[in-house]
mmCIF file of all heavy atoms in Angstrom:
data_model
loop_
_atom_site.group_PDB
_atom_site.id
_atom_site.type_symbol
_atom_site.label_atom_id
_atom_site.label_comp_id
_atom_site.label_asym_id
_atom_site.label_seq_id
_atom_site.Cartn_x
_atom_site.Cartn_y
_atom_site.Cartn_z
ATOM 1 N N TRP A 279 -0.839 13.768 -9.329
ATOM 2 C CA TRP A 279 -0.927 14.757 -10.358
ATOM 3 C C TRP A 279 -2.169 15.621 -10.291
ATOM 4 O O TRP A 279 -2.152 16.817 -10.408
ATOM 5 C CB TRP A 279 -0.907 14.037 -11.725
ATOM 6 C CG TRP A 279 -1.331 14.852 -12.853
ATOM 7 C CD1 TRP A 279 -0.670 15.856 -13.429
ATOM 8 C CD2 TRP A 279 -2.576 14.759 -13.552
ATOM 9 N NE1 TRP A 279 -1.435 16.410 -14.457
ATOM 10 C CE2 TRP A 279 -2.620 15.740 -14.556
ATOM 11 C CE3 TRP A 279 -3.675 13.918 -13.411
ATOM 12 C CZ2 TRP A 279 -3.711 15.922 -15.425
ATOM 13 C CZ3 TRP A 279 -4.798 14.098 -14.271
ATOM 14 C CH2 TRP A 279 -4.767 15.058 -15.235
ATOM 15 N N SER A 280 -3.292 14.986 -9.886
ATOM 16 C CA SER A 280 -4.571 15.742 -9.925
ATOM 17 C C SER A 280 -4.820 16.522 -8.643
ATOM 18 O O SER A 280 -5.698 17.412 -8.562
ATOM 19 C CB SER A 280 -5.747 14.727 -10.144
ATOM 20 O OG SER A 280 -5.780 13.765 -9.177
ATOM 21 N N THR A 281 -4.040 16.219 -7.585
ATOM 22 C CA THR A 281 -4.270 16.854 -6.272
ATOM 23 C C THR A 281 -3.862 18.359 -6.354
ATOM 24 O O THR A 281 -2.678 18.633 -6.563
ATOM 25 C CB THR A 281 -3.539 16.153 -5.192
ATOM 26 O OG1 THR A 281 -4.053 14.840 -5.013
ATOM 27 C CG2 THR A 281 -3.736 16.848 -3.804
ATOM 28 N N PHE A 282 -4.844 19.220 -6.207
ATOM 29 C CA PHE A 282 -4.589 20.699 -6.296
ATOM 30 C C PHE A 282 -3.973 21.027 -7.631
ATOM 31 O O PHE A 282 -3.142 21.986 -7.716
ATOM 32 C CB PHE A 282 -3.719 21.219 -5.172
ATOM 33 C CG PHE A 282 -4.223 20.760 -3.835
ATOM 34 C CD1 PHE A 282 -3.252 20.342 -2.830
ATOM 35 C CD2 PHE A 282 -5.557 20.732 -3.462
ATOM 36 C CE1 PHE A 282 -3.716 19.987 -1.569
ATOM 37 C CE2 PHE A 282 -5.955 20.386 -2.251
ATOM 38 C CZ PHE A 282 -5.042 19.969 -1.251
ATOM 39 N N HIS A 283 -4.322 20.359 -8.689
ATOM 40 C CA HIS A 283 -3.781 20.722 -10.021
ATOM 41 C C HIS A 283 -4.326 22.131 -10.293
ATOM 42 O O HIS A 283 -5.508 22.378 -10.397
ATOM 43 C CB HIS A 283 -4.298 19.771 -11.073
ATOM 44 C CG HIS A 283 -3.612 19.943 -12.358
ATOM 45 N ND1 HIS A 283 -3.603 21.111 -13.095
ATOM 46 C CD2 HIS A 283 -2.774 19.066 -13.054
ATOM 47 C CE1 HIS A 283 -2.871 20.984 -14.162
ATOM 48 N NE2 HIS A 283 -2.352 19.771 -14.177
ATOM 49 N N PRO A 284 -3.425 23.095 -10.468
ATOM 50 C CA PRO A 284 -3.843 24.507 -10.479
ATOM 51 C C PRO A 284 -4.709 24.844 -11.707
ATOM 52 O O PRO A 284 -5.535 25.764 -11.589
ATOM 53 C CB PRO A 284 -2.546 25.317 -10.502
ATOM 54 C CG PRO A 284 -1.477 24.338 -11.079
ATOM 55 C CD PRO A 284 -1.948 22.977 -10.602
ATOM 56 N N GLU A 285 -4.593 24.087 -12.771
ATOM 57 C CA GLU A 285 -5.359 24.448 -13.963
ATOM 58 C C GLU A 285 -6.737 23.811 -13.953
ATOM 59 O O GLU A 285 -7.666 24.256 -14.641
ATOM 60 C CB GLU A 285 -4.566 24.002 -15.201
ATOM 61 C CG GLU A 285 -5.148 24.510 -16.518
ATOM 62 C CD GLU A 285 -4.275 24.113 -17.711
ATOM 63 O OE1 GLU A 285 -3.031 23.762 -17.539
ATOM 64 O OE2 GLU A 285 -4.749 24.118 -18.817
ATOM 65 N N PHE A 286 -6.891 22.731 -13.199
ATOM 66 C CA PHE A 286 -8.070 21.911 -13.303
ATOM 67 C C PHE A 286 -8.919 21.814 -12.078
ATOM 68 O O PHE A 286 -9.540 20.755 -11.750
ATOM 69 C CB PHE A 286 -7.715 20.528 -13.826
ATOM 70 C CG PHE A 286 -6.942 20.563 -15.117
ATOM 71 C CD1 PHE A 286 -5.783 19.690 -15.253
ATOM 72 C CD2 PHE A 286 -7.284 21.346 -16.151
ATOM 73 C CE1 PHE A 286 -5.068 19.768 -16.436
ATOM 74 C CE2 PHE A 286 -6.560 21.339 -17.366
ATOM 75 C CZ PHE A 286 -5.415 20.562 -17.492
ATOM 76 N N LEU A 287 -8.914 22.874 -11.252
ATOM 77 C CA LEU A 287 -9.767 22.866 -10.022
ATOM 78 C C LEU A 287 -11.100 23.479 -10.271
ATOM 79 O O LEU A 287 -12.025 23.300 -9.442
ATOM 80 C CB LEU A 287 -9.057 23.542 -8.840
ATOM 81 C CG LEU A 287 -7.921 22.819 -8.266
ATOM 82 C CD1 LEU A 287 -7.360 23.625 -7.057
ATOM 83 C CD2 LEU A 287 -8.255 21.414 -7.737
ATOM 84 N N LEU A 288 -11.275 24.183 -11.401
ATOM 85 C CA LEU A 288 -12.562 24.843 -11.636
ATOM 86 C C LEU A 288 -13.026 24.434 -13.082
ATOM 87 O O LEU A 288 -13.185 25.316 -13.908
ATOM 88 C CB LEU A 288 -12.449 26.329 -11.449
ATOM 89 C CG LEU A 288 -12.221 26.791 -9.993
ATOM 90 C CD1 LEU A 288 -11.602 28.170 -9.887
ATOM 91 C CD2 LEU A 288 -13.486 26.652 -9.150
ATOM 92 N N LEU A 289 -13.175 23.143 -13.230
ATOM 93 C CA LEU A 289 -13.584 22.636 -14.535
ATOM 94 C C LEU A 289 -15.073 22.951 -14.808
ATOM 95 O O LEU A 289 -15.779 23.346 -13.865
ATOM 96 C CB LEU A 289 -13.346 21.112 -14.493
ATOM 97 C CG LEU A 289 -11.931 20.631 -14.420
ATOM 98 C CD1 LEU A 289 -11.913 19.155 -14.069
ATOM 99 C CD2 LEU A 289 -11.172 20.921 -15.701
ATOM 100 N N PRO A 290 -15.538 22.672 -15.964
ATOM 101 C CA PRO A 290 -16.944 22.946 -16.258
ATOM 102 C C PRO A 290 -17.815 22.031 -15.316
ATOM 103 O O PRO A 290 -18.896 22.458 -14.885
ATOM 104 C CB PRO A 290 -17.158 22.440 -17.684
ATOM 105 C CG PRO A 290 -15.825 22.671 -18.290
ATOM 106 C CD PRO A 290 -14.831 22.380 -17.226
ATOM 107 N N ARG A 291 -17.292 20.796 -14.964
ATOM 108 C CA ARG A 291 -18.128 19.910 -14.167
ATOM 109 C C ARG A 291 -17.126 18.935 -13.535
ATOM 110 O O ARG A 291 -15.977 18.917 -13.856
ATOM 111 C CB ARG A 291 -19.169 19.213 -15.087
ATOM 112 C CG ARG A 291 -20.353 18.639 -14.466
ATOM 113 C CD ARG A 291 -21.319 19.650 -13.947
ATOM 114 N NE ARG A 291 -22.455 18.985 -13.284
ATOM 115 C CZ ARG A 291 -22.455 18.586 -12.042
ATOM 116 N NH1 ARG A 291 -21.454 18.755 -11.278
ATOM 117 N NH2 ARG A 291 -23.497 17.929 -11.476
#
Side-chain angles (χ1 to χ4, degrees):
Chain A
W279 163 74
S280 60
T281 298
F282 310 138
H283 193 299
E285 190 178 338
F286 305 135
L287 286 183
L288 293 160
L289 294 168
R291 201 71 180 84

